[in-house]
Amino acid sequence: MHIILGILGTAVTILILISRLKEGGIDISWLNPFSWARRRRFRKEYLMHPAYTLESPMDVAALFMVAVAKSDGDITKGQKEKILSLFASEFKLNDAQASELFGASVHIFGRGDDVLDNPSRVLSRTMDSFSAQQVSSVLSMLEEVANAEGDPSESQKRLINKINLAMPTVQV
């Protein structure tokens, strides 16, 4: 019995000391392993590249179209018009929504290293959302964007091939 009272007394003393430290302005909550894991998970999610957090197949397809257009450098006027017309025709968006989606995709693309190097990571959250028809539609739209200014370049062909390999294979 005296051992249990000693353990309880020690626990109460530690809790009182922690309370006094908090009142004095010293925060030792970083010692809590549950809080540490939650903060680490949040920081990892917060610092992740925005291209890896896309959850809509339409957003992923739009990002890939911008990536194909920007794989050689800046987007030309013909490529931009082709992308906007595809947004309007395939995604059934009006002009304002299409230009908004284009701007968001260009912003998310950023420098492009993450998207160009890891299309499978971009697809990771939406892999289950793609149907077989959507996969073939996205690949055909990428080909159209690549052919907007004539024959596609080698970097565009490589990127389309990477995206094709990363796309989910849907069994019907």
Side-chain angles (χ1 to χ4, degrees):
M1 186 66 160
H2 65 283
I3 295 173
I4 295 174
L5 288 175
I7 292 173
L8 288 175
T10 304
V12 167
T13 303
I14 290 173
L15 291 174
I16 290 173
L17 288 175
I18 290 173
S19 173
R20 294 290 184 195
L21 285 173
K22 281 185 182 180
E23 288 174 4
I26 299 173
D27 183 26
I28 59 169
S29 64
W30 56 272
L31 290 174
N32 183 349
F34 301 111
S35 174
W36 176 82
R38 187 174 59 249
R39 282 192 315 267
R40 184 172 184 269
R41 190 172 49 249
F42 174 78
R43 187 178 320 114
K44 191 176 177 183
E45 184 78 19
Y46 180 74
L47 296 177
M48 186 184 305
H49 191 276
Y52 301 148
T53 63
L54 297 177
E55 296 181 353
S56 166
M58 184 174 75
D59 294 336
V60 171
L63 180 65
F64 282 153
M65 283 192 268
V66 168
V68 167
K70 286 192 85 163
S71 65
D72 287 333
D74 288 335
I75 297 176
T76 63
K77 184 178 180 183
Q79 289 173 330
K80 180 179 178 181
E81 289 172 357
K82 185 64 174 179
I83 291 172
L84 290 174
S85 70
L86 286 172
F87 286 172
S89 64
E90 298 292 326
F91 298 154
K92 308 291 189 256
L93 300 175
N94 61 32
D95 291 339
Q97 292 171 328
S99 63
E100 187 177 307
L101 180 61
F102 179 77
S105 297
V106 169
H107 178 72
I108 288 173
F109 184 76
R111 283 192 1 224
D113 298 339
D114 300 316
V115 178
L116 297 175
D117 294 338
N118 298 315
S120 58
R121 266 188 86 187
V122 174
L123 284 164
S124 64
R125 292 190 183 202
T126 58
M127 196 70 79
D128 299 333
S129 302
F130 276 97
S131 67
Q133 182 182 7
Q134 287 174 327
V135 169
S136 64
S137 176
V138 167
L139 293 174
S140 68
M141 286 188 293
L142 294 178
E143 290 291 337
E144 286 184 46
V145 170
N147 292 323
E149 295 289 320
D151 290 334
S153 67
E154 285 301 315
S155 61
Q156 288 175 329
K157 289 178 185 176
R158 277 195 308 271
L159 179 59
I160 291 173
N161 190 29
K162 273 186 188 179
I163 293 170
N164 189 12
L165 293 174
M167 282 296 222
T169 54
V170 181
Q171 301 295 330
V172 179

